[in-house]
Amino acid sequence: ASGSAPSAPPPPQVVAGSLSVGPSTSGLSIKKLRSHLRGHVVWTGDLLRDYAFYVQNRHPLFGICLAHPLHPWSKRERLAMMIVVSTLTLFPTASLHMHGDAYEDIVGAKAFLSLRLFFFVTLPVMFVEKSLHFIAERDDLLKDSRSVGGRAMYRCARATKRACFGTAVVCAALVFLACGIPVILWYAKGPGVDALFAPYCASRLQSWVVWFPSKFFMPCSGFLWKWIRDTRRMKRTSEVPPGIPGPTGEEWA
């Protein structure tokens, strides 16, 4: 009819894998992006690209440099956790190595010592690492709460996280001063410092390598399981993957 207002052009849609977000996702925000970075695994719909983005945000080593700037688990917290777990690894590794001489003449001694290192040092340290990671992200769940109870819970979670990280750093420092320095000096006078750092580096390398299959294939909480589940859900609801976000997340603002 004459005089009627011209119809508006159709809104642009999000293209899978694109960094741009159109009005079809106008409800998304920086808060939503932080939530997605914490638990979302489907970003482009491509398994390999999504897994690469997952690794750079979640891996305990790569995440220190490659994690998204808006990820709830900050790079400063990642670095602090790396220092803590690395320090806690030093003394038990040295202890196992010093008592490993008795097995030198046994067939398969190296394999036995590697398994012992894995079960008695690497796995416990990975548990500590996972616990600190869990604590580091809890306060972000309540950060934007506007209720009185929610704000109180956020302050409590924030204080708990700081206390846990502070305690972990202090304990790591005490362990290093009380045990680490004497052990290093003993190795420097005896078999050499390289004899200490070889099993130490082996333990850290074990944890970084084991992370890949454990986080990829873990039932219910692993990347593959969550990616298949979320991909099927998005197909049922015709939801389009939002695309890997840019460094500032401005396309989600």
Side-chain angles (χ1 to χ4, degrees):
S2 59
S4 60
S7 58
Q13 298 296 316
V14 180
V15 179
S18 172
L19 296 183
S20 61
V21 178
S24 61
T25 55
S26 58
L28 300 178
S29 60
I30 297 298
K31 175 184 175 182
K32 188 70 172 179
L33 173 57
R34 291 177 63 88
S35 176
H36 271 47
L37 287 170
R38 182 173 54 249
H40 203 66
V41 295
V42 180
W43 295 93
T44 67
D46 180 84
L47 178 65
L48 294 180
R49 290 184 64 191
D50 289 341
Y51 183 59
F53 190 62
Y54 178 84
V55 169
Q56 75 180 59
N57 282 291
R58 290 284 176 173
H59 194 274
L61 177 62
F62 300 146
I64 295 177
C65 300
L66 302 177
H68 194 279
L70 294 177
H71 197 283
W73 187 17
S74 69
K75 294 181 180 180
R76 182 178 60 182
E77 292 168 346
R78 294 168 192 262
L79 182 59
M81 186 181 70
M82 171 68 74
I83 295 173
V84 168
V85 299
S86 296
T87 304
L88 295 178
T89 302
L90 182 62
F91 179 70
T93 301
S95 179
L96 288 178
H97 183 262
M98 285 189 291
H99 292 87
D101 297 337
Y103 302 97
E104 287 184 349
D105 299 329
I106 300 177
V107 177
K110 289 186 177 181
F112 171 75
L113 293 175
S114 296
L115 285 174
R116 192 173 67 158
L117 182 67
F118 177 75
F119 284 107
F120 289 101
V121 178
T122 303
L123 281 184
V125 167
M126 289 180 69
F127 176 77
V128 173
E129 203 168 36
K130 178 63 178 177
S131 300
L132 291 176
H133 176 199
F134 178 83
I135 294 171
E137 292 186 348
R138 292 309 93 188
D139 63 327
D140 192 72
L141 294 171
L142 303 166
K143 185 175 182 179
D144 297 309
S145 177
R146 297 183 179 180
S147 65
V148 176
R151 298 302 299 172
M153 291 179 65
Y154 166 71
R155 287 192 292 269
C156 180
R158 187 76 171 174
T160 301
K161 181 176 79 170
R162 290 177 176 175
C164 289
F165 268 83
T167 302
V169 171
V170 171
C171 289
L174 292 176
V175 168
F176 182 75
L177 292 174
C179 305
I181 293 178
V183 166
I184 293 175
L185 293 176
W186 183 86
Y187 268 88
K189 294 179 180 179
V193 178
D194 56 330
L196 167 64
F197 283 98
Y200 168 78
C201 293
S203 175
R204 299 306 300 139
L205 185 61
Q206 282 178 347
S207 68
W208 294 331
V209 171
V210 168
W211 183 92
F212 286 98
S214 63
K215 286 295 185 180
F216 189 83
F217 294 108
M218 182 75 70
C220 300
S221 62
F223 170 83
L224 183 62
W225 190 90
K226 293 170 68 176
W227 191 88
I228 294 174
R229 179 200 63 188
D230 292 350
T231 300
R232 290 175 176 174
R233 175 184 56 79
M234 295 174 76
K235 287 182 178 179
R236 287 196 305 267
T237 59
S238 300
E239 183 180 350
V240 180
I244 295 176
T248 61
E250 59 184 7
E251 67 273 13
W252 290 66

